Amino acid sequence: MPPEVLQAERTAPGDGNGAVGRALAHDSARGHVQGTARFIDDVPEPAALVHVAPGYANHAARGRITALDLDAVRAAPGVAAVLTAADIPGKNDCSPVFGDDPILADGFIAFHGQVVFAVVALSRDEARRASRLARITVDEEEPRVSVEAGLASGETVVPDYQFLRGEPGADMKQAPHTGSGSLHVGGQEHFYLEGQVALALPGEGGAMHVLSSTQHPSEIQHLVAAMLGKPDSDVVCECRRMGGAFGGKESQAAQWACLAALAASVTGSAAKLRLDRDDDMIMTGKRHDFRVDYSYGCDDTGRLVAVDGALNARCGYSADLSMAVCDRAMFHADNAYFYPSARILSRRVKTDTVSNTAFRGFGGPQGMMLAERMMDDIACRLGLDPLDVRKRNLYGRGRDITPYGMKVGDNILPRLVRELETTSDYRERRRGIAAFNGSNRFLKKGMSLTPVKFGIAFTLKHLNQAGALVHVYTDGSVLVNHGGTEMGQGLHTKVAQVVAEEFGIGFEHVKITATKTDMVPNTTPTAASSGSDLNGMAAKRAAATIKDRMAALAGRLYQVPKAEVRFADSTVTVGGQDIPFAELAKTCFLERVSLSSTGYFATPKITWDRASASGRPFLYFAYGAACSEVTIDTLTGEMRVDRVDLLHDVGNSLNPAIDIGQIEGGFAQGMGWLTTEELVFDAKGRLTTHAPSTYKIPVASDVPEDFRVALWKSKGNREPTIYRSKAVGEPPLMLAISVFSAISNAIASLNPGRVPALDAPATPETIARAIRSMQDA
Amino acid sequence: MTRSSVRFLHRGEVVSLTDVGANETLLDYLRLRRHAYGTKEGCAEGDCGACTVALGTLQDGGLEYAPVNACICLLGMIDGKELVAVEDLAGANGALHPVQDAVLRHHGSQCGFCTPGIVMSLFTLYHAGGRADRQAVNDTLAGNLCRCTGYRPIVDAALEACDGTPRDAFAAHRANTTERLAALNDGEDIFIGDEEAGFLAAPATVDALARLYVRHPDATLVAGATDVGLWITKQLRALPKIILLGRVAGLAEMRETEQGFYFGAGVTHAQAEPAMAAIDPDLVELLRRFGGKQVRAVGTIGGNIANGSPIGDSMPALIALGTTLHLRRGQATRSMPLEDFFIDYGKQDRAAGEFVTGIDVPRLESDHVFRCYKISKRFDQDISAVLGAFRFTVETGRITHARVAFGGMAATPKRAAATESALRDLPLDDPQGWEAICKALAMDFQPIDDMRAGARYRLETAQALLRKALHEAGGTASTETRLVGLRPEDTERAA
Ligand SMILES: Cc1cc2nc3c(=O)[nH]c(=O)nc-3n(C[C@H](O)[C@H](O)[C@H](O)COP(=O)(O)OP(=O)(O)OC[C@H]3O[C@@H](n4cnc5c(N)ncnc54)[C@H](O)[C@@H]3O)c2cc1C
Ligand code: FES
Ligand code: FES
């Protein structure tokens, strides 16, 4: 059943013609359902196009390359060129920050699947076939595959970092109860449906135009330019839309764009690289898997006194975005709970595996697993209802400073959790579940209600900026361009709604165009859920600038103060006169008033200083809560989700249909992460689940029929964000922790008092193992 | 008579192609040759459904639309069918098809990459007859991955649009399409290419197939291509000689016999369902979870058996039921118990030039209890970690005879000999006594660790499945022992 809010007239107030706050369809929806919305591989191919396929050493995970024999590759049918590190004219690097990700391996293989060479051929098929003919000899070394192996070697990709308040070790000893534990939290493959792809079009005088499925066109531009040894101004990167990204195209799109551009530069032809799905899964980074260790002290009611947590992240062979990801894990190791005394230690462990990267939530979900496992641990040990333990530990008055020193000023969670407790009928169902478990031998039920508090802003301060460009044409149509990218999250739709609202014109009059580095320069990645916060505001300012000029002209012509000029319903009302918006636009041209403007926005109040671990990293928090009920089969470890209730806070919703879509989709993706999606590496460091046949993301039947989703009735974000909305891209993913916790709750019923040793993902096998651990000894 | 072209119906026209590559996929034909970019490639291995198209096929004279993964469907396989891709749905005036319209209005697309495939799957549901319920929608979408939406809006769109009364252009043209497809199915053998260098052949009779395959024992037989397709798209194997089985009339036969049912090797999993239902409801559930609709629409019983995978789903169930396998080479035929066909990993008792013609599956007797369970990480469209199938003969509360077979536990689908004999004379009212028998399973199997499950889990789960089967045979309702696939007699009792 569609959530009720979709029937609502409007969810955010605006003063134009009401485009903002309406459940408008995604701007490309018509194209999506007809298959006419073009992805990069659907762009009609230029003549003389060549295709690029990456090649790697299929047997080796780590070691020096002692011989690289590419003769058979060169001799294969259709091959135009074979590229190695030596062919790169400029910098051999596609890393986002640290300069440690070679585009093509140069003498050393650092993980299984690392690209060593690239074949350029007349067809994709020929390129793929040729790529398998190389003979690469490697002086193989034993790879460090697991986080434990990495910890044992002591090597990290960035130094350890910690938050410390009080003396948790000593404070814990004073507490009436203590507990400790450890759990593995698995990684996650993005499985964007559209794989990595780039098309490079060589231009005049060495210029390069790159179409890339990327969340970060500016970075692609910079990396391609540096690789070619050219100024940034010679390279344009463009992205109309991605077929999903989820963080997997933030830094991970660059290598393929660079290789396509290199092939185009070497051959002089347009060059396309579209990764095969298996290669994509083997060669690109994933969500970090963590080993989470914790110990705590609490009082008789389950309220925490002190917490000592360690977040050991498997980062892979290079730093990539691991510093920021692991920082965000630390920022969320408290989730919604007050830790009076705390140490949060983060270790960024180096392993000889693909470099892990951004993934929706960006470390936050893994950090929250610490908090939520601890809540379940306390409830089990003390024999309390897990919801009571959670409620007792929520941030509240006088208990509102996070371990990193930021005050939680906008906390609505106590109210939000209480409301969900009521609407989900938690207490009554809890009794029903106890009765069910008492009378069923093989099947056991569990339920859990978990909160989410997620910090909004990039924790790297300089990323919190955005630009936009708006043109009004003389027929009244409007074109918007901004630095954000569209990956399905509806950003372009929301930004167009904002611009339509500003001008008081219909949404259909606002044209959205591809993100392009020659339209809006020096942009930051579309990530951290910040897309509409940043770009919506920048576009609004650009539109407001033009509107102000139009109003000034109208005021002058009709001799009224410009403040009295009103824009609504595609009409400009001035001095009792109604002028069509288009007519005023035309008049502006005739009167030589500019109808084009840029807009710029930088998020205020962000003062985080990493070195001193002080200041304010977030502008505000997004909140939500979820209640999930599951049944497990204790014979086999199989699990079914029976019912899910979600209540989520988006402030004033810019578009409730899109927001509901983010909530439901994020939840399902999080559920997959914690249940069926298992990344398996063999002892030689090879990923064995590199295809959808072995890596299982949720399908329709995994989402329960009884799925109740609602938006929190907000009075709007306390911070003056765009129409006082809240970011929604990432936070709902973490609502799925309720499913994991419910599974743990079902297992806990087998042996009250004992904490289930459940790791994530909770596959049937993992659940069976946890069940066994309840029965042993 | 031999024809050297592939012919199919598309947008009301007969398309006739003489230049069909033996390994050319339908997806490459659409995207590379026709520049029809609506159909997407998400995986090229039949698992994501982004490439779903509908094929209109005559089934017993009537027109049915089935979803097919174009990425692993060979172009030659669509001979005699109607091809419907996403571009073909909208009306002449650009009006959206009812399923497209519903997906749009319910906000069923986010990034939109899965959407064309989803629309095509829903198109087949729209034409399937009857108002769709949640279960039908789930089953229709089991082979369509969407990473963005969480499915709820797509499900709602499907429930609204698929109301059992198709009113689109395809419904209006039904009679005409049926007629034209009938005319295309001319019963001629197809042969494109060269006997030496390579060819695409699609014989129309079993005799023609037998002759051709004896002459070319190095050719690759292709039925549904749900296994072979991946050899082409993923292993990049060149298969110069292809013999398609889809047009061999005799292979698709299915009939009731004195002992039970005969299934021709070319019977698809979708076609087999009604007869399997007549044997036992657990087989229906097994089929429901065999791949997704796209896989079942073309994947065949013969292909599943001949492929010989230790994790193939139909074999343990068919072995437990006492199935006989029939083979033919040239004019010579032979038969054997199905379990004897599987010699070792990747090795079956099949001579060069020999092919599977069909199987005989005995029906259950009144004193038989049959149970079958599939264990996988995800319920729908996943490959088994373990699959257990049991047929107990029960007399006055005692097992007098047992056939037990497992998949995922050895290098082949395999019977559990030690367990079977330990089960003999076992009373069903004494669970204490069962534990020793569960241990016997450890003598029958030494499973391996892989990405689907560890050895320990496999063995313990096999034991758990035996225990579950015994509980159910002893009278415990499946509502108390199962999360999915409840047996109809138990849900009726509960209702
Ligand atoms: C997404 C997906 C999901 C799947 N899910 C499952 C599943 O849940 N359970 C499962 O068991 N399998 C599954 N499979 C595997 C596959 O679908 C089955 O094995 C199927 O039955 C194969 O049938 P086919 O007709 O497509 O075989 P093909 O691919 O056409 O052929 C398979 C093999 O059999 C040979 N062959 C075919 N017919 C004959 C014949 N008559 N005589 C001799 N040899 C013959 C071929 O030469 C080839 O070696 C799945 C596959 C995919 C792509
Ligand atoms: S592309 Fe994924 S099923 Fe065909
Ligand atoms: S809408 Fe993106 S995968 Fe379905």
Side-chain angles (χ1 to χ4, degrees):
Chain A
M1 285 286 289
E4 222 170 87
V5 61
L6 297 184
Q7 316 306 323
E9 180 75 355
R10 269 187 102 173
T11 49
D15 46 20
N17 82 325
V20 155
R22 291 197 196 281
L24 299 177
H26 191 284
D27 71 278
S28 297
R30 255 190 113 76
H32 292 157
V33 299
Q34 295 186 282
T36 53
R38 266 189 204 158
F39 298 87
I40 289 173
D41 199 36
D42 306 335
V43 173
E45 296 184 346
L49 175 72
V50 292
H51 296 262
V52 189
Y56 68 107
N58 193 24
H59 51 282
R62 180 188 160 89
R64 204 168 49 79
I65 299 173
T66 54
L68 179 56
D69 175 358
L70 299 171
D71 291 347
V73 184
R74 285 198 185 88
V79 171
V82 181
L83 309 172
T84 63
D87 296 300
I88 295 174
K91 216 168 152 197
N92 181 10
D93 177 50
C94 58
S95 73
V97 190
F98 293 94
D100 53 353
D101 289 310
I103 299 165
L104 291 169
D106 196 0
F108 191 85
I109 289 177
F111 70 95
H112 180 255
Q114 184 171 23
V115 184
V116 176
F117 66 96
V119 188
V120 187
L122 300 181
S123 72
R124 182 168 179 268
D125 186 58
E126 287 166 322
R128 284 182 70 207
R129 284 177 194 280
S131 74
R132 298 190 183 187
L133 301 176
R135 282 219 299 274
I136 307 175
T137 318
V138 179
D139 187 8
E140 283 184 55
E141 298 167 30
E142 173 109 4
R144 292 159 297 181
V145 181
S146 64
V147 70
E148 279 76 15
L151 277 172
S153 86
E155 228 185 311
T156 55
V157 294
V158 266
D160 296 356
Y161 187 53
Q162 74 169 19
F163 298 148
L164 180 66
R165 170 162 68 205
E167 289 181 54
D171 296 340
M172 213 173 286
K173 291 208 186 77
Q174 312 298 320
H177 306 277
T178 57
S180 65
S182 166
L183 82 152
H184 271 107
V185 179
Q188 187 175 24
E189 159 64 35
H190 303 84
F191 211 87
Y192 27 66
L193 261 279
E194 177 211 35
Q196 304 277 355
V197 57
L199 171 62
L201 307 157
E204 243 176 71
M208 192 63 72
H209 183 176
V210 183
L211 307 188
S212 167
S213 183
T214 175
Q215 294 171 248
H216 199 348
S218 283
E219 190 166 281
I220 302 277
Q221 176 200 16
H222 301 156
L223 289 168
V224 166
M227 175 199 67
L228 295 175
K230 302 206 172 270
D232 289 345
S233 54
D234 270 357
V235 179
V236 172
C237 180
E238 170 176 355
C239 177
R240 172 59 184 87
R241 62 172 63 78
M242 288 168 267
F246 315 110
K249 295 172 181 172
E250 183 171 345
S251 66
Q252 302 295 297
Q255 191 170 12
W256 323 110
C258 287
L259 285 173
L262 181 61
S265 151
V266 167
T267 63
S269 299
K272 179 153 76 176
L273 191 161
R274 176 170 65 81
L275 277 187
D276 172 67
R277 174 61 66 179
D278 292 59
D279 287 347
D280 193 319
M281 292 179 76
I282 290 169
M283 293 173 179
T284 65
K286 303 163 198 324
R287 184 190 292 287
H288 294 64
D289 44 331
F290 275 58
R291 198 193 70 206
V292 174
D293 305 322
Y294 62 90
S295 51
Y296 64 84
C298 68
D299 68 14
D300 290 333
T301 69
R303 197 174 254 205
L304 284 165
V305 173
V307 174
D308 189 357
L311 301 168
N312 307 288
R314 183 169 80 149
C315 298
Y317 87 99
S318 72
D320 185 73
L321 300 166
S322 291
M323 185 166 101
V325 167
C326 293
D327 284 2
R328 187 166 277 270
M330 297 168 68
F331 284 120
H332 291 83
D334 59 336
N335 190 12
Y337 311 114
F338 178 59
Y339 296 171
S341 156
R343 183 176 78 129
I344 306 294
L345 170 68
S346 161
R347 310 212 59 195
R348 296 95 199 275
V349 179
K350 179 166 182 164
T351 52
D352 303 309
T353 50
V354 67
S355 197
N356 282 328
T357 193
F359 195 137
R360 203 175 197 171
F362 207 73
Q366 296 97 311
M368 278 186 201
M369 288 291 278
L370 184 153
E372 295 306 331
R373 163 54 61 90
M374 216 160 44
M375 292 298 129
D376 287 334
D377 187 315
I378 296 170
C380 278
R381 277 186 225 262
L382 271 58
L384 301 170
D385 185 286
L387 179 57
D388 291 334
V389 174
R390 289 189 162 88
K391 283 164 75 175
R392 262 167 224 149
N393 281 291
L394 287 177
Y395 283 107
R397 197 162 306 149
R399 301 163 35 85
D400 53 6
I401 307 293
T402 64
Y404 46 92
M406 178 171 161
K407 187 172 162 146
V408 183
D410 55 359
N411 187 14
I412 55 166
L413 268 179
R415 277 183 295 143
L416 192 148
V417 164
R418 222 179 306 126
E419 178 166 328
L420 185 63
E421 178 181 350
T422 308
T423 56
S424 68
D425 203 11
Y426 179 89
R427 300 289 164 183
E428 187 58 34
R429 286 164 66 203
R430 176 61 75 198
R431 281 188 284 276
I433 285 169
F436 179 96
N437 289 344
S439 61
N440 272 271
R441 192 153 34 134
F442 306 116
L443 307 182
K444 299 287 175 189
K445 277 181 175 289
M447 181 171 68
S448 182
L449 194 162
T450 59
V452 168
K453 163 183 135 289
F454 194 77
I456 302 299
F458 285 99
T459 56
L460 270 176
K461 188 167 146 186
H462 71 266
L463 296 180
N464 295 292
Q465 57 173 321
L469 176 65
V470 173
H471 303 320
V472 175
Y473 293 95
T474 50
D475 66 348
S477 63
V478 174
L479 185 136
V480 186
N481 198 281
H482 58 86
T485 54
E486 175 64 38
M487 56 195 94
Q489 84 281 42
L491 173 61
H492 285 353
T493 310
K494 284 183 171 177
V495 171
Q497 284 178 274
V498 166
V499 170
E501 184 79 42
E502 189 65 25
F503 284 125
I505 59 176
F507 175 70
E508 63 285 0
H509 298 302
V510 182
K511 173 88 179 168
I512 299 152
T513 52
T515 313
K516 240 173 137 212
T517 54
D518 58 354
M519 296 279 271
V520 174
N522 309 326
T523 56
T524 63
T526 308
S529 308
S530 64
S532 49
D533 278 11
L534 294 174
N535 298 289
M537 206 59 117
K540 186 173 197 290
R541 287 185 178 175
T545 303
I546 301 171
K547 184 168 111 174
D548 188 63
R549 291 184 204 138
M550 293 173 84
L553 177 71
R556 184 147 53 80
L557 293 179
Y558 290 87
Q559 316 228 317
V560 295
K562 77 174 177 189
E564 285 170 25
V565 182
R566 291 267 166 275
F567 290 71
D569 301 321
S570 294
T571 305
V572 182
T573 309
V574 49
Q577 291 270 358
D578 282 352
I579 323 165
F581 179 79
E583 194 182 309
L584 181 58
K586 185 75 180 278
T587 310
C588 284
F589 175 71
L590 297 173
E591 296 290 327
R592 300 191 299 169
V593 171
S594 165
L595 288 171
S596 174
S597 175
T598 59
Y600 177 81
F601 177 71
T603 314
K605 297 191 185 175
I606 310 287
T607 58
W608 178 247
D609 177 52
R610 191 174 188 274
S612 61
S614 64
R616 176 173 175 161
F618 303 120
L619 181 60
Y620 62 93
F621 294 101
Y623 297 100
C627 180
S628 297
E629 178 180 332
V630 305
T631 310
I632 60 170
D633 177 339
T634 57
L635 286 170
T636 60
E638 292 164 287
M639 184 276 298
R640 183 189 66 208
V641 181
D642 297 320
R643 173 174 163 183
V644 172
D645 294 56
L646 307 182
L647 180 58
H648 197 77
D649 164 36
V650 297
N652 291 336
S653 175
L654 292 175
N655 181 325
I658 284 173
D659 287 347
I660 291 282
Q662 289 301 300
I663 293 167
E664 293 174 337
F667 172 82
Q669 197 169 63
M671 188 178 73
W673 167 51
L674 293 171
T675 58
T676 55
E677 295 182 34
E678 185 174 30
L679 291 166
V680 181
F681 287 84
D682 69 11
K684 292 200 71 180
R686 293 176 300 206
L687 178 68
T688 55
T689 50
H690 52 73
S693 52
T694 46
Y695 185 78
K696 311 310 284 185
I697 71 169
V699 292
S701 65
D702 294 311
V703 177
E705 188 166 356
D706 197 349
F707 189 24
R708 310 178 192 199
V709 183
L711 297 183
W712 170 250
K713 290 202 175 42
S714 169
K715 294 197 191 75
N717 195 343
R718 286 217 340 206
E719 296 298 330
T721 52
I722 183 84
Y723 290 99
R724 296 199 181 262
S725 62
K726 282 194 176 184
V728 70
E730 295 167 289
L733 182 127
M734 285 147 273
L735 296 171
I737 295 174
S738 62
V739 173
F740 184 78
S741 172
I743 297 168
S744 175
N745 184 248
I747 300 170
S749 73
L750 295 170
N751 191 350
R754 201 171 175 132
V755 184
L758 182 67
D759 288 326
T763 61
E765 181 167 7
T766 321
I767 293 173
R769 202 181 303 131
I771 290 171
R772 202 192 303 133
S773 78
M774 300 299 279
Q775 291 153 350
D776 291 349
Chain B
M1 292 280 278
T2 303
R3 160 152 69 87
S4 55
S5 63
V6 167
R7 298 183 315 195
F8 56 92
L9 203 56
H10 186 214
R11 302 176 79 100
E13 306 284 336
V14 173
V15 179
S16 178
L17 304 170
T18 52
D19 58 340
V20 179
N23 297 172
E24 186 174 2
T25 64
L26 177 54
L27 183 62
D28 280 352
Y29 168 72
L30 284 169
R31 292 185 61 91
L32 302 183
R33 276 221 246 174
R34 297 288 292 265
H35 305 294
Y37 295 119
T39 309
K40 310 296 179 201
E41 179 190 308
C43 69
E45 51 199 284
D47 244 291
C48 77
C51 64
T52 304
V53 298
L55 292 183
T57 310
L58 295 186
Q59 298 274 358
D60 307 320
L63 175 64
E64 286 182 14
Y65 287 102
V68 172
N69 289 320
C71 66
I72 52 169
C73 177
L74 298 186
L75 177 55
M77 287 166 57
I78 72 168
D79 185 81
K81 303 180 195 273
E82 183 192 10
L83 170 63
V84 187
V86 68
E87 291 90 348
D88 311 331
L89 290 193
N93 52 358
L96 295 181
H97 185 276
V99 299
Q100 292 175 315
D101 182 57
V103 170
L104 183 145
R105 278 186 296 98
H106 283 269
H107 307 281
S109 72
Q110 286 184 22
C111 79
F113 200 84
C114 70
T115 316
I118 285 190
V119 161
M120 292 316 298
S121 280
L122 295 185
F123 169 81
T124 65
L125 181 63
Y126 179 78
H127 282 281
R131 176 174 279 282
D133 59 10
R134 175 70 193 240
Q135 182 69 52
V137 175
N138 281 352
D139 288 345
T140 297
L141 294 176
N144 288 91
L145 301 179
C146 174
R147 193 51 150 167
C148 298
T149 62
Y151 303 100
R152 196 274 313 152
I154 299 170
V155 170
D156 282 343
L159 290 173
E160 183 192 288
C162 303
D163 60 1
T165 52
R167 297 169 294 269
D168 61 359
F170 295 86
H173 296 147
R174 189 165 263 277
N176 182 263
T177 306
T178 307
E179 211 171 286
R180 299 182 70 183
L181 288 182
L184 281 183
N185 284 281
D186 53 7
E188 288 186 358
D189 296 333
I190 297 178
F191 191 93
I192 300 175
D194 179 283
E195 296 250 0
E196 295 301 311
F199 58 78
L200 177 77
T205 63
V206 181
D207 286 336
L209 164 65
R211 276 195 306 273
L212 186 65
Y213 198 28
V214 165
R215 205 158 64 239
H216 295 285
D218 57 336
T220 307
L221 301 183
V222 178
T226 56
D227 286 314
V228 176
L230 281 79
W231 305 352
I232 295 170
T233 61
K234 291 291 152 172
Q235 298 171 18
L236 303 182
R237 266 157 78 173
L239 307 171
K241 299 178 177 179
I242 294 280
I243 303 177
L244 299 176
L245 304 182
R247 298 180 72 252
V248 182
L251 279 189
E253 208 185 321
M254 192 167 48
R255 62 172 185 272
E256 202 159 354
T257 64
E258 222 159 278
Q259 290 79 29
F261 292 89
Y262 173 81
F263 298 90
V267 171
T268 66
H269 301 296
Q271 289 164 334
E273 199 190 298
M276 292 293 182
I279 299 174
D280 190 85
D282 275 11
L283 296 171
V284 179
E285 173 65 4
L286 182 62
L287 280 180
R288 192 188 69 72
R289 287 177 56 188
F290 189 118
K293 286 245 182 199
Q294 292 94 327
V295 169
R296 299 198 292 276
V298 290
T300 61
I301 294 180
N304 200 221
I305 292 171
N307 200 47
S309 161
I311 43 178
D313 278 341
S314 50
M315 283 79 89
L318 293 173
I319 289 171
L321 287 165
T323 296
T324 304
L325 177 73
H326 306 294
L327 298 158
R328 172 169 168 178
R329 182 179 184 281
Q331 291 303 312
T333 61
R334 62 185 179 121
S335 302
M336 67 179 82
L338 179 58
E339 54 269 37
D340 294 350
F341 183 64
F342 306 104
I343 299 168
D344 203 344
Y345 185 80
K347 188 159 178 240
Q348 295 89 36
D349 181 5
R350 185 160 75 88
E354 192 173 39
F355 59 95
V356 177
T357 51
I359 53 171
D360 265 301
V361 187
R363 69 171 63 79
L364 294 170
E365 305 294 336
S366 58
D367 56 356
H368 282 158
V369 174
F370 178 80
R371 290 294 186 272
C372 164
Y373 313 97
K374 171 170 175 168
I375 304 295
S376 48
K377 281 184 199 170
R378 188 176 74 194
F379 285 118
D380 284 357
Q381 183 158 290
D382 196 357
I383 304 292
S384 306
V386 183
L387 191 144
F390 310 86
R391 193 189 75 181
F392 305 134
T393 311
V394 180
E395 273 172 38
T396 56
R398 228 166 238 284
I399 292 178
T400 58
H401 183 81
R403 289 180 68 92
V404 176
F406 277 94
M409 293 291 288
T412 61
K414 194 176 151 223
R415 272 176 83 173
T419 311
E420 286 183 1
S421 55
L423 281 166
R424 199 159 302 147
D425 278 333
L426 185 79
L428 281 172
D429 56 1
D430 175 25
Q432 299 306 321
W434 301 350
E435 290 311 299
I437 295 156
C438 287
K439 296 219 168 69
L441 261 173
M443 303 200 313
D444 285 318
F445 298 109
Q446 288 81 44
I448 57 157
D449 280 323
D450 71 9
M451 73 295 241
R452 293 204 170 83
R456 178 168 181 186
Y457 176 72
R458 285 199 156 101
L459 187 60
E460 289 183 353
T461 301
Q463 292 166 332
L465 294 181
L466 176 56
R467 232 173 270 141
K468 185 178 288 218
L470 290 169
H471 277 292
E472 291 184 7
T476 307
S478 62
T479 45
E480 291 175 39
T481 57
R482 302 184 184 192
L483 295 176
V484 297
L486 306 186
R487 295 181 62 86
E489 69 264 23
D490 298 330
T491 48
E492 278 152 26
R493 200 183 314 152

